Amino acid sequence: MTEYFATVARGLEQLAAQELTEIGATDITLGFCGVSFHGDRELLYRINLLARLPFRVLVKLGEFPSIDGDELYESIQGIDWGQYLTPDLTMAVTVTGKNAQLNHSHFTAVQVKRAITTQQTKQFGDRSNVDITDPDVRINVHIDKDISTVSLDSSGSSLHRRGYRSAVGDAPLKESLAAALVKMSGWTPDLAFVDPLCGSGTLPLEAAMQALNIAPGVFRESFGFERWLDFDPELFDRLLKAAEAAEKKDIQPTIIGSDRSYEIIQQAQSNALKSGVGSYIQFAQLELADVEAPADTGILLCNPPYGERLGRDEDLGAFYKLLGDVLKNRFKGWTAYVLSGNKQLAKSIGLRSAERTTVYNGTLPCQLMKYEMY
């Protein structure tokens, strides 16, 4: 069994562990911004294809003492790179973390590349070229105190980039965070789902994909492991077909997204069509003040502007008060969730939250506030 590490947004480690367990991961250990687990090659492919929360799935090659550049160089040379990387494959090195001596990511990456290419030249008489933007093999080195962990990145581009969202509005949520928020809301397809500030539609789209059991990886052009020397195309094709066969066609959830901008709603509809859920979501151009509940009960989930990138010139305090008034007057019997990165603005909602959970939107600490509307 191989050891893997799935990187996730800070604060979502426990939720990600639950998801990975459901997919089949074992020996799960929570880490900082990630979850380690064990499994075989099939599990590696399935996690990349099916998991909604991770950014990347790393395959651990080794863990070594690395006080300085020389010791790191020797540790990297101790790995047989011929089984992972031949000179006809391009590579890139990503470095995270640091210690007293290895405190510059570029220097650390150069040491790693030099160790690998020196070994390649001795073994093959040639070496791999570096391709920072789209390498065949991406190597990840994480420095924690005097220990370096060396891994291969099986995902390629970040898994939050599903591949369905060609059109985005300003300051969109990452798809992985949107999926996590839907899970945290406890929404199920038998309940109505409303996002009255949907932007380019990420929250409704991720809700629909969960309801229909659409694998988030089916829209991607490729994964990093597809270029590896040990890639098993027959296994991956079988998993792709199994994921498509598991999609649900016999349900019709009530999922509604609205926004004041016609152009933004057009973007949302385009993304919904591309992701195959266009007929399952009702998008509408509506001012927040005109939003109505479509049923007696349901889940409302939204991500209003925080004043960080959007709304600096607007009276966001009044906007948040309006949101609170709409919840109070139009959504009795519902449970509402509001993600906000501005505590002062959140107070303007004027409602007492039943629960608050810290969620990181990128590096920005936010609060997911739960309101029971009686």
Side-chain angles (χ1 to χ4, degrees), residues 312-339:
R312 288 176 177 170
D313 299 324
E314 299 176 13
D315 185 357
L316 285 178
F319 184 81
Y320 272 67
K321 182 182 183 304
L322 173 60
L323 176 60
D325 290 343
V326 169
L327 295 180
K328 180 172 58 178
N329 298 322
R330 310 273 179 81
F331 285 86
K332 291 179 180 178
W334 283 56
T335 302
Y337 290 84
V338 179
L339 181 69

Side-chain angles (χ1 to χ4, degrees), residues 109-142:
V110 168
Q111 286 292 91
V112 172
K113 285 182 282 191
R114 190 166 62 87
I116 294 171
T117 55
T118 298
Q119 185 188 104
Q120 283 187 309
T121 301
K122 289 180 180 179
Q123 183 176 3
F124 301 107
D126 198 1
R127 48 157 289 178
S128 294
N129 289 324
V130 173
D131 184 344
I132 297 175
T133 58
D134 188 29
D136 295 315
V137 178
R138 187 178 294 278
I139 299 145
N140 181 278
V141 178
H142 179 67

Side-chain angles (χ1 to χ4, degrees), residues 72 95 102-113 141 143:
L72 176 64
V95 177
L102 297 168
N103 55 16
H104 195 290
S105 59
H106 178 71
F107 168 78
T108 303
V110 168
Q111 286 292 91
V112 172
K113 285 182 282 191
V141 178
I143 309 294

Side-chain angles (χ1 to χ4, degrees), residues 330-353:
R330 310 273 179 81
F331 285 86
K332 291 179 180 178
W334 283 56
T335 302
Y337 290 84
V338 179
L339 181 69
S340 180
N342 189 316
K343 291 183 179 180
Q344 201 60 40
L345 284 174
K347 293 178 182 178
S348 299
I349 292 176
L351 301 173
R352 184 182 296 276
S353 60

Side-chain angles (χ1 to χ4, degrees), residues 11-219:
L12 299 183
E13 296 89 351
Q14 184 63 56
L15 196 63
Q18 295 172 11
E19 179 182 48
L20 297 181
T21 299
E22 292 169 0
I23 296 174
T26 59
D27 300 326
I28 290 177
T29 303
L30 301 186
F32 178 71
C33 291
V35 180
S36 66
F37 59 98
H38 288 80
D40 56 13
R41 183 184 303 172
E42 180 174 335
L43 180 68
L44 177 68
Y45 293 178
R46 291 182 73 237
I47 296 289
N48 274 284
L49 185 61
L50 303 179
R52 302 182 190 278
L53 304 190
F55 293 133
R56 300 180 181 279
V57 185
L58 306 178
V59 182
K60 185 176 178 180
L61 301 185
E63 191 174 88
F64 314 98
S66 300
I67 295 175
D68 55 24
D70 292 337
E71 189 167 31
L72 176 64
Y73 181 91
E74 293 299 323
S75 297
I76 297 298
Q77 284 233 314
I79 298 172
D80 178 13
W81 289 99
Q83 59 185 314
Y84 310 114
L85 187 64
T86 51
D88 58 309
L89 298 177
T90 59
M91 71 167 178
V93 178
T94 301
V95 177
T96 57
K98 60 183 179 179
N99 62 23
Q101 295 295 318
L102 297 168
N103 55 16
H104 195 290
S105 59
H106 178 71
F107 168 78
T108 303
V110 168
Q111 286 292 91
V112 172
K113 285 182 282 191
R114 190 166 62 87
I116 294 171
T117 55
T118 298
Q119 185 188 104
Q120 283 187 309
T121 301
K122 289 180 180 179
Q123 183 176 3
F124 301 107
D126 198 1
R127 48 157 289 178
S128 294
N129 289 324
V130 173
D131 184 344
I132 297 175
T133 58
D134 188 29
D136 295 315
V137 178
R138 187 178 294 278
I139 299 145
N140 181 278
V141 178
H142 179 67
I143 309 294
D144 183 17
K145 298 178 182 177
D146 295 334
I147 300 294
S148 62
T149 303
V150 182
S151 307
L152 298 183
D153 182 347
S154 71
S155 303
S157 63
S158 176
L159 294 175
H160 85 269
R161 298 189 179 98
R162 310 285 200 230
Y164 66 72
R165 194 172 68 172
S166 57
V168 297
D170 294 324
L173 280 177
K174 284 185 171 66
E175 294 91 322
S176 52
L177 177 55
L181 296 176
V182 173
K183 286 178 179 288
M184 293 169 74
S185 75
W187 178 73
T188 52
D190 57 310
L191 292 172
F193 180 96
V194 169
D195 178 0
L197 306 168
C198 72
S200 54
T202 311
L203 284 168
L205 263 66
E206 289 294 324
M209 289 178 65
Q210 289 184 34
L212 300 169
N213 199 36
I214 296 176
V218 297
F219 304 104

Side-chain angles (χ1 to χ4, degrees), residues 264-309:
I264 293 294
I265 288 298
Q266 292 283 89
Q267 292 178 5
Q269 290 173 331
S270 172
N271 292 333
L273 289 172
K274 191 171 183 180
S275 62
V277 298
S279 62
Y280 296 93
I281 306 175
Q282 303 169 47
F283 285 112
Q285 180 191 2
L286 277 178
E287 293 287 346
L288 176 59
D290 297 326
V291 172
E292 299 276 356
D296 293 335
T297 61
I299 297 292
L300 182 147
L301 175 61
C302 65
N303 175 43
Y306 315 149
E308 292 291 323
R309 289 176 288 178

